[in-house]
Amino acid sequence: MHFVKQHRQRLELLLMLLLGLICGSCLSKLLQVARVEFYDLYASNSSQHLTADTASKSDNSLMHPNANNNNNKATQRILCIVTLKPKGKRQQDIARTWGKRCHKLLFIRAHSGKPKLSIVGLAKSRTDSSSWARTRANLQFVHNRYHTKYDWFLMVTDETYVIMENLQHLLIDYGPEIPIYFDSFSWLHTRQGSLSGAGGNVFSREALRRFVTRAHDNSSICSNHNYGIRHVEIARCFRNVGVVAGKSRDEHGLPLFVNNMSNITEGCCSKSAISFQCVDSSCFYQMEYIIYRLRAFGLS
């Protein structure tokens, strides 16, 4: 009798264990199904939100790479002024590469000439006796024709390649009503106060207005001689009418404007560089390919 009772208890225990295993398995299946349905629903909702956010950001980025930071300054209009040498033939090269990203591309030559490209304006300078005299005449011409139509004015030589997106990035924190300019010069102040450098300028609409209306015809604050180094004289004229020089280096102190391609070494220039010197026609197309077409696999 005792043996039968023990056998029954063991059988009941075995049945309870078996029933527990069956119930646990069923419960696990139910939880798994519920979890899958929950994650599917969550993923669907997240995907919808992500798609909407991405589309919104994509639309904004079309206006400007930094449109989300400052929408009201994302569409600043830039007039690109390229000064040509008397026998310069870089119009085609510039117009086919970086010049097509300007809001307007304007070539200015010291001698008269007929424009070969309909998209390019060609002005005749009043004088070709010196670079400073040409610069003064060119700025007056640009002010009379385009002052109210553009926010910023980029003046470079025909040996310059410009990354317009990086220029827009530099200017996004400034308004055209601010009297400011940026230069591509490597200023070297010596004990004698001499300066050296070469390159071009970027100046605001207000800076151009002050130069022409206050400095251009006032020899006491802006030289009207036919001689003079262009970048030195224009800096002096700007300073005398309250136009400040903006910072033309990045947060690491590296130049945004590169004047000499032959001096490019490790750590020579900013990762956000704006312009480079191109001494021959092939350089324009090489820069265009490397910046806008070349892709290295595995790099974002």
Side-chain angles (χ1 to χ4, degrees), residues 100-148:
K100 61 188 178 183
R101 301 180 188 93
C102 299
H103 289 88
K104 182 177 180 61
L105 179 60
L106 175 69
F107 288 104
I108 297 182
R109 192 193 299 274
H111 300 287
S112 62
K114 184 179 180 180
K116 297 181 179 180
L117 301 173
S118 60
I119 63 171
V120 174
L122 186 62
K124 180 182 177 181
S125 176
R126 294 181 178 179
T127 177
D128 60 349
S129 58
S130 74
S131 69
W132 171 233
R134 287 197 301 270
T135 300
R136 292 177 70 250
N138 292 341
L139 291 179
Q140 186 178 43
F141 169 84
V142 169
H143 175 271
N144 295 341
R145 289 283 188 92
Y146 304 108
H147 174 252
T148 60

Side-chain angles (χ1 to χ4, degrees), residues 202-221:
V202 182
F203 39 90
S204 68
R205 183 171 60 233
E206 175 62 15
L208 177 61
R209 187 193 70 80
R210 292 192 183 192
F211 177 86
V212 174
T213 61
R214 301 184 188 180
H216 185 273
D217 296 326
N218 189 339
S219 60
S220 64
I221 62 175

Side-chain angles (χ1 to χ4, degrees), residues 150-221:
Y150 298 95
D151 303 312
W152 294 88
F153 300 86
L154 167 69
M155 178 175 281
V156 296
T157 69
D158 58 0
E159 293 185 345
T160 309
Y161 183 96
V162 182
I163 305 173
M164 293 300 296
E165 293 85 352
N166 288 354
L167 177 57
Q168 284 276 11
H169 180 76
L170 171 68
L171 301 177
I172 198 169
D173 291 327
Y174 305 92
E177 72 283 350
I178 299 175
I180 190 172
Y181 80 103
F182 302 86
D183 61 44
S184 57
F185 312 123
S186 300
W187 295 102
L188 299 177
H189 293 263
T190 66
R191 292 182 179 180
Q192 291 75 27
S194 62
L195 302 171
S196 65
N201 303 86
V202 182
F203 39 90
S204 68
R205 183 171 60 233
E206 175 62 15
L208 177 61
R209 187 193 70 80
R210 292 192 183 192
F211 177 86
V212 174
T213 61
R214 301 184 188 180
H216 185 273
D217 296 326
N218 189 339
S219 60
S220 64
I221 62 175

Side-chain angles (χ1 to χ4, degrees), residues 19-39:
L19 181 61
L21 290 174
I22 294 173
C23 292
S25 177
C26 292
L27 182 60
S28 177
K29 285 289 184 181
L30 290 173
L31 291 175
Q32 184 176 4
V33 171
R35 184 168 62 249
V36 170
E37 290 180 352
F38 171 77
Y39 283 132

